[in-house]
Amino acid sequence: MNPCCPCDTLIHPGKPMIPAGLTDLPRQLATFADFRQVMLREIPTQAALSQWRSREGEDLGLMLLEMWAYVLDLLSFYDRQIAHETYLRTAVRSASLYQLVQMIGYQPRPALAAAVVLGAIATGNQAVTLPPRTGFRSDAFGDEPPQIFETEQEQLIHPLTNEWQVAPTRDRNFPGELLLEQTSLSPDQLVLLSWGNQHHGGRVQQVEAIAALDGNTYLQVRITPPPAIDTNVQLSNLQLLTPTVSARLNLSRVPPPSMTPPSLGSFEFDQSNSVAQAQLAV
C-alpha cells in the first residue's frame, strides 16, 4: 500500500491519548472497518496467504476475516466501557460508583423513594432522643403496603414542646369584611371601592383593630353604606381609593344649583374661601 499522502496511512494499533480530566475515555482504538482494512493489508506479509487474491465478493476466507474484525470491534467497545467504570468521572453504573467509593471507606446513603415530615410526640416528663435512621412505618393504604421512613439526623423531642406549628392561612377571596394590615383611614372619610367593572362609594364609619383567625391583628374598616361585594372576588382585584386632590372653582362661572349636571354629583360651596367641595353621591 503506497498512500499518496502520509495522512492516509493507517497506524495500527493507534497510540491512546488519554489526558486527565476527561469525561469520555478514547479507549476504543479501532472499529470494524479499521480492523478489516489492517488485516487485508497484512495478507501479503504472510507466506501462507501470499497467493490469496480475493478481496471482495463471496469468499470464505474474506467472510472469516470480517467475522474476526467484528469480534475485535466488540472487544474494543467493551474495553472502552469497562475502562469508563473504573473512574468516578466516567462511571455510569451505580454498582461501579459504590465499589470505587468503598475503597476509601465511604458508605453512600441508600436510595430514598420519598421524603415526609413527621410529627413525633413524647410522653412523660423526660426528653427523648431519636438517633439517626430511626424507623417509622406508615399505615397501608389501598393496595400499597406500609412504607418505612427513617430519620436522617438526630432529633430531640420533649413532652413540654408537643406542638405542631401551622403556617397562617390567608383568604385569597374577599372574606366578607374589609381587613387591612395598615391604613391611615379615619371616620367620615370618603372612599371608593373598585373591583372589576363595579364601584362603590361611601364614607368610613369605623376603624377597629381585631385579631383574625390566622393569629395576626388587622384593622377592620366599616363603610356606610356597606358594599355588596361577592365572596368570589379575589383580593388582588379589589382596590380601595381615597380622594387626594382638591380644586378651586371660579364662582362667577359656576352655574346655579338647579343647572348642575347630574353626572357631577352635588356640590357644597364655601363662600368664604371660594372652595367647592364635591360630595360623593351614594
Side-chain angles (χ1 to χ4, degrees):
M1 183 176 183
N2 297 319
C4 299
C5 177
C7 59
D8 294 334
T9 303
L10 177 61
I11 301 176
H12 185 84
K15 184 178 180 180
M17 301 294 295
I18 308 178
L22 295 181
T23 57
D24 184 78
L25 303 180
R27 284 292 298 265
Q28 189 171 3
L29 303 180
T31 61
F32 170 82
D34 299 327
F35 288 119
R36 182 181 184 277
Q37 179 181 352
V38 170
M39 286 189 290
L40 289 176
R41 185 186 65 183
E42 296 299 322
I43 288 177
T45 63
Q46 304 296 323
L49 302 176
S50 59
Q51 301 301 319
W52 183 30
R53 297 290 185 267
S54 178
R55 298 294 183 269
E56 301 292 342
E58 298 178 357
D59 182 81
L60 178 60
L62 187 61
M63 181 188 70
L64 295 175
L65 184 144
E66 290 180 347
M67 291 179 62
W68 183 242
Y70 176 74
V71 172
L72 295 177
D73 179 68
L74 288 179
L75 292 176
S76 180
F77 169 78
Y78 284 111
D79 176 76
R80 172 182 175 274
Q81 297 303 112
I82 294 173
H84 277 187
E85 299 302 319
T86 58
Y87 299 93
L88 284 176
R89 189 185 296 271
T90 56
V92 295
R93 298 177 64 250
S94 299
S96 301
L97 294 172
Y98 289 154
Q99 292 177 0
L100 291 173
V101 297
Q102 284 177 357
M103 297 174 63
I104 58 175
Y106 178 77
Q107 184 177 3
R109 187 186 69 177
L112 299 178
V116 297
V117 178
L118 297 176
I121 299 178
T123 59
N125 54 9
Q126 298 293 330
V128 178
T129 301
L130 299 180
R133 296 191 177 181
T134 300
F136 295 87
R137 189 180 70 172
S138 67
D139 294 333
F141 50 93
D143 297 333
E144 299 293 332
Q147 303 296 321
I148 304 297
F149 296 92
E150 295 182 351
T151 57
E152 296 181 344
Q153 301 176 354
E154 180 179 297
Q155 302 291 337
L156 180 66
I157 58 176
H158 197 283
L160 299 180
T161 59
N162 286 339
E163 61 180 7
W164 186 275
Q165 185 175 1
V166 180
T169 59
R170 294 188 176 184
D171 294 327
R172 294 185 178 181
N173 296 343
F174 182 67
E177 53 186 0
L178 192 60
L179 302 179
L180 305 178
E181 292 183 348
Q182 57 182 0
T183 182
S184 58
L185 295 177
S186 58
D188 204 39
Q189 185 175 357
L190 288 172
V191 293
L192 176 66
L193 285 171
S194 175
W195 64 97
N197 297 325
Q198 302 186 43
H199 309 280
H200 177 85
R203 290 184 180 273
V204 177
Q205 179 183 6
Q206 184 182 11
V207 179
E208 180 183 4
I210 64 170
L213 296 178
D214 61 2
N216 295 329
T217 301
Y218 297 94
L219 296 175
Q220 184 183 47
V221 180
R222 298 182 183 274
I223 300 176
T224 180
I229 304 177
D230 193 274
T231 55
N232 294 327
V233 176
Q234 293 189 359
L235 293 176
S236 58
N237 298 329
L238 184 63
Q239 291 183 322
L240 177 62
L241 308 176
T242 59
T244 58
V245 178
S246 60
R248 294 182 178 273
L249 302 181
N250 189 345
L251 296 181
S252 61
R253 297 185 179 182
V254 175
S258 60
M259 298 179 60
T260 302
S263 60
L264 296 179
S266 59
F267 288 83
E268 297 178 355
F269 299 96
D270 187 351
Q271 299 291 345
S272 60
N273 54 14
S274 301
V275 175
Q277 298 178 342
Q279 181 179 4
L280 188 63
V282 294

